[in-house]
Amino acid sequence: MVFLVAALAVRGDQTGSAVATPPFDGVAWCQSANAISTWRSVLDGSAEGDSIDDVANLRTELDRARSTAPVELRTEVARLYDLILLTMQASQRLDGDLEAAIVDAAGNTDQPRVQTALRLVDEAVVACGHRSLVG
């Protein structure tokens, strides 16, 4: 009898139903898109006037955007997040040389996929009424 009670307690509420994802919040996504567009020069590779602090801020916003983005865009946002994470790591190795870090990070990613991700995220950012990420 004790075994049966323990088994039921461990089992909990495992009804086999999938966990529901929260509904898409377009306002939250567009706020994230606005923040991402602030650091567009890091994403387009030019790093005009940006510092490693800007890269860190972009990383934070991309992390936030992964949960607010439309479901079909989350993998693309994650690809950009990975690129920025690699940029930060390269910057540490390269004594803070951001331009060299961007080149180094790009060399360690699947650029066709990153470029596709950038294009798709850019389209979603522009659809929210914000500046394009690519020029």
Side-chain angles (χ1 to χ4, degrees):
M1 180 68 156
V2 173
F3 176 74
L4 179 61
V5 172
L8 289 173
V10 170
R11 180 177 159 225
D13 185 28
Q14 296 176 351
T15 59
S17 63
V19 175
T21 58
F24 173 66
D25 182 346
V27 172
W29 161 245
C30 284
Q31 288 172 341
S32 291
N34 183 39
I36 292 168
S37 71
T38 302
W39 294 286
R40 59 182 272 215
S41 63
V42 175
L43 289 170
D44 74 8
S46 67
E48 288 180 5
D50 289 319
S51 69
I52 195 61
D53 291 334
D54 295 317
V55 176
N57 289 332
L58 176 57
R59 188 183 120 223
T60 299
E61 290 306 327
L62 286 168
D63 191 32
R64 183 176 296 128
R66 286 188 296 185
S67 63
T68 62
V71 173
E72 64 275 6
L73 200 60
R74 290 181 183 170
T75 299
E76 311 311 328
V77 172
R79 279 195 176 97
L80 297 180
Y81 176 87
D82 290 345
L83 174 67
I84 297 308
L85 181 62
L86 289 170
T87 301
M88 291 182 67
Q89 292 170 346
S91 177
Q92 290 172 347
R93 284 192 320 275
L94 299 169
D95 296 322
D97 185 342
L98 185 55
E99 290 179 17
I102 289 172
V103 171
D104 184 86
N108 288 306
T109 58
D110 181 344
Q111 278 302 292
R113 286 187 175 173
V114 169
Q115 292 306 312
T116 297
L118 185 57
R119 180 181 51 79
L120 294 171
V121 172
D122 178 58
E123 289 171 2
V125 166
V126 170
C128 284
H130 305 301
R131 290 187 316 167
S132 173
L133 302 176
V134 290

